[in-house]
Each structure stands twice: as C-alpha cells, then as structure tokens.
Amino acid sequence: MSTVAVTLAAIASAAIVAQAPWAAVLVARLGAGWRRPAPLTPQPSRPENLAKVSIVVPTLNEARRLQPCLEGLMRQGYEVREILVVDSHSQDGTAEMVQAAQDREPRLRLEFDPPLPPGWVGRPWALQTGFCRVHPRSEWILGIDADTEPQPGLVASLLETAQREELDLISLSPRFVLKTGGEWWLQPALLLTLIYRFGAARSVETWPERILANGQCLLIRRSRLEAMGGYQVAASSFCDDVTLVRAAAAAGARVAFRDGSKVLKVRMYEGLAETWREWGRSLDLKDATPAAQVWGDVYFLWAVQGLPLPLFGLGLIALTVTSPTLPLEIATFLNGLLVLIRWGMTLAIAPAYDWQTGQGRWLFWLSPLADSLAALRITLSSWQRPQQWRGRTYPAKTQPLV
C-alpha cells in the first residue's frame, strides 16, 4: 500500500471516529419527525373564549414592515381583548402608523416603554412593559413580533390548542417569506442548524435544556407568567424567547413548539447580508444554554452539516486516484449518507416557505452548498456576544455571561 493510501486511510479513520457518533444522534433526532404533531390550522372564534387574550407587540423603528402585522392582528376574532403596541420611542413613524390604525380598531392601543434599565435587552423590556399594562382579566398573553403576518384564525387556533392540550405555553414556527436569491440560498441552511440541533417538535417538550421556541409568536398563560415575575428571567438574553420557555419548563410548565405555517407568515430580514448578520448572531442560543452545550452543538453541526458535502466530494476523488481502503470507503459512505439526509431535509422543510413570492427561488435547492457557511456563522456567533441589536447599543457589562 502506498504512503498516500496509508495517509488517506488514517484521515478517513479519524473522520469516522469524529463523525459517526454524531451521525447516529442526528438520525435519532430526525427519525422522531414522523410522530410530530400536525400543523395548526385556522380556527373559528368561540363565545366561551371572549376577551381571554391580550396581545403585546414590541416595536422599535418598524414602520417599513409593521403594517401587515397590524392588519393581521386586527382580523383576529373576539378572543382578543386588546392589542398593545409597546414602542421604544421609534424615530421612523412607527408610532404614527399605530395611531392611525387606532381609528379603525378600538382594541388597538399604543404604549411607550420607560427608559431601558441596566441589565435589560430591549425586546424583553418592551414585553415586560406590555405585560404590566395589559387588562387584569386577560387569561393569556400573546407576544407577537412586528415582522410577522398573522393569518385569520391564528389566535383562535393557538388558544384552542393550548386549552385542549392543557398547555401553559405554546410558540409557533412560521412560514418564511423570502424575496431575494441570497435569502433562498442561505436562510434554509441556517434554519437547518436549529432542526439538526433540536430535532422534530414533540407534543409536549420535557427536556428543558433542549427546548426550542419562537418568540415571534408565543402564547403564555398569564398565571404562569406572573409566577415567573414576567419576563425578568430573560431580561438580559438576546434569545429571550428560548430563555423564557426553558425557565418555564424547568418550573413545571407544559410547553409546546408547533408548526404554524398555515396560520403565521414572517418576513424577517432584507437580503443575504442582513440574514447573515442579524439572524445568524442569535441562532447559537448561548444566552439560554450552558457553554459546554453551545460548543458541543458547534462541533455537532460541523460533523453532520458543515463538513459532509466537501468530505464526500474529496472521498470520491480519493477513491478514483488511489488504492481504495476500507476506512476511506466507510468514511465516504458515511458522508454520502449525511449528504443524502441533507437533501431529504431540503424537501422536508420546503413547506415552511412561501413559494408565491420572491426572486431566485430555485436557489433554495442549492442551499446544501451553504451548509459550511451556516456552521461557520454559528461558530462565530458562539464566540462573540452582540453589542448592537435592533438599533440599540449594549455596553459589555450589561451582556449576560455564558
């Protein structure tokens, strides 16, 4: 056997040791997907649910994308008692937009949050402000982000599911609205970093350390939120939704994360650069996760998502230019299997996107080519803590520790 063949066999053996255990973990996580709950569907309003929900929408300079959110919320049924837009003193006309909408919707109310206290991030502070000002008789609090497009029947569906399944908290994954080819290429790869790490949603999440949530649409029982002191547990978190939900689950709450693609759309970021910069720096979830778990997840993502495609290609080349060895064949097969799983997941997540809008939609099918970049983005985000977020600058001393 040549020196080259021996060297390649050694490298292949190392790859097998480094990847095979995590490939087994990935298969186990994704294999549970066939048991995941069905997507929520629009539900009609019911008289017994009259005025049970208060909605809180935190805003800061959201004029360019707030209108679809307001229109969607104003179309919700009579289970909604009030819609509080808590604005952090926007300078782009956000407040004026809400004030104009108030003339058409008596449930809509504009509030302004006080100056940001030390140790708080803007979004949880706005939610805390809204929580303290909602009507005392509301039984549920629904946090909604300004970049969402609520569909008719959203709130009724959330409330019906939470009551039927005796949940204390439920959040939804949306249908994503993408408009540029760069988004269609990169965003699915970033989304897969979440699915690979946390697997398919379960009926009720029981392992707090691995729970995923989406604060863009999060319904929580008021009594449960009061017992937690509102959003204080997530005051300094840049992933306040996951921090809040994991704390609630650790305290005994019944929480669920469901497919909301039929009742909720979201237009998160404008273009490739903003998707990379803004979404990418919060996907590590380090403010809700122990450091060892954060870096374990980084290693996991490189092993099963970031490296398989290039390693598979290199393995095929090596098999054609040198004498095949069993380690090289096994390593190539393993990475080929991981590439095949990735293409299968591309098909699986396709319904999570709005295929009626945007240019360059065909680039979605090439998103596996962005997997190494997605793994790199999570690595960089895990290493660095944001100092700017949604137009605010945060001193280092206010940033939470891992």
Side-chain angles (χ1 to χ4, degrees):
M1 185 181 299
S2 68
T3 302
V4 173
V6 171
T7 302
L8 289 175
I11 295 173
S13 297
I16 294 169
V17 172
Q19 290 181 282
W22 301 111
V25 171
L26 177 66
V27 171
R29 286 178 181 171
L30 300 181
W34 68 274
R35 297 194 302 269
R36 68 186 186 276
L40 270 65
T41 56
Q43 297 293 319
S45 298
R46 298 181 180 180
E48 62 269 24
N49 288 331
L50 176 67
K52 284 191 174 182
V53 180
S54 286
I55 298 177
V56 178
V57 185
T59 60
L60 176 59
N61 296 325
E62 299 285 5
R64 64 173 178 161
R65 54 185 178 180
L66 179 60
Q67 195 62 43
C69 178
L70 292 178
E71 295 294 339
L73 292 178
M74 290 189 291
R75 290 196 297 267
Q76 301 302 310
Y78 46 72
E79 60 276 343
V80 176
R81 179 188 294 272
E82 58 188 348
I83 306 167
L84 275 67
V85 177
V86 181
D87 188 60
S88 298
H89 304 275
S90 298
Q91 302 298 312
D92 67 342
T94 296
E96 291 77 7
M97 179 181 296
V98 177
Q99 290 169 339
Q102 286 179 140
D103 296 335
R104 297 185 287 124
E105 176 55 75
R107 297 176 297 178
L108 184 61
R109 189 167 88 241
L110 175 65
E111 299 278 352
F112 293 96
D113 57 7
L116 189 67
W120 281 80
V121 172
R123 186 178 182 279
W125 175 241
L127 289 169
Q128 178 74 1
T129 301
F131 167 62
C132 293
R133 297 180 186 178
V134 297
H135 196 283
R137 292 186 181 178
S138 293
E139 298 178 20
W140 297 84
I141 309 297
L142 174 60
I144 286 277
D145 277 4
D147 55 7
T148 61
E149 300 177 20
Q151 303 300 296
L154 164 66
V155 180
S157 178
L158 279 167
L159 191 56
E160 189 275 334
T161 302
Q163 292 176 331
R164 171 169 44 84
E165 301 184 18
E166 299 181 340
L167 300 173
D168 296 300
L169 187 153
I170 179 173
S171 66
L172 301 181
S173 62
R175 177 164 295 183
F176 296 99
V177 178
L178 308 180
K179 294 186 178 180
T180 69
E183 295 171 65
W184 281 102
W185 181 66
L186 178 63
Q187 200 270 4
L190 291 172
L191 177 64
L192 258 296
T193 67
L194 292 172
I195 298 175
Y196 273 27
R197 281 179 285 167
F198 301 103
R202 304 162 186 83
S203 296
V204 177
E205 302 291 348
T206 57
W207 191 4
E209 294 81 6
R210 305 303 302 187
I211 289 175
L212 188 60
N214 180 20
Q216 292 171 321
C217 179
L218 192 154
L219 179 73
I220 184 169
R221 196 182 298 271
R222 185 198 187 108
S223 59
R224 177 63 67 174
L225 193 55
E226 287 176 338
M228 299 173 64
Y231 295 86
Q232 294 185 48
V233 68
S236 60
S237 177
F238 285 99
C239 56
D240 57 279
D241 46 4
V242 177
T243 301
L244 177 75
V245 173
R246 290 182 178 179
R254 285 174 57 85
V255 307
F257 182 53
R258 298 293 171 82
D259 182 348
S261 58
K262 295 184 179 181
V263 291
L264 182 71
K265 293 183 179 181
V266 62
R267 171 73 178 141
M268 291 176 63
Y269 301 113
E270 298 294 331
L272 174 67
E274 191 171 276
T275 301
W276 168 272
R277 182 178 64 252
E278 298 294 336
W279 197 32
R281 65 181 173 183
S282 64
L283 285 175
D284 58 271
L285 307 181
K286 59 179 172 288
D287 289 348
T289 309
Q293 183 177 320
V294 169
W295 289 107
D297 283 348
V298 168
Y299 179 91
F300 171 78
L301 285 176
W302 278 108
V304 301
Q305 185 180 0
L307 291 177
L309 185 57
L311 289 180
F312 178 61
L314 291 173
L316 291 178
I317 294 172
L319 287 172
T320 62
V321 300
T322 188
S323 301
T325 61
L326 183 60
L328 182 57
E329 291 175 338
I330 293 176
T332 303
F333 173 81
L334 174 61
N335 283 284
L337 177 62
L338 289 169
V339 170
L340 183 62
I341 290 173
R342 174 59 172 92
W343 284 106
M345 289 305 300
T346 305
L347 290 171
I349 66 174
Y353 293 88
D354 185 352
W355 290 89
Q356 305 303 313
T357 61
Q359 298 178 344
R361 293 188 292 271
W362 61 274
L363 286 167
F364 169 83
W365 304 108
L366 298 183
S367 65
L369 299 176
D371 281 353
S372 294
L373 277 179
L376 174 62
R377 190 64 188 92
I378 302 303
T379 305
L380 295 174
S381 179
S382 299
W383 187 262
Q384 301 170 341
R385 188 169 305 284
Q387 289 189 313
Q388 291 187 340
W389 191 261
R390 294 293 191 183
R392 280 191 168 107
T393 300
Y394 296 91
K397 66 178 181 180
T398 68
Q399 296 174 18
L401 299 177
V402 174

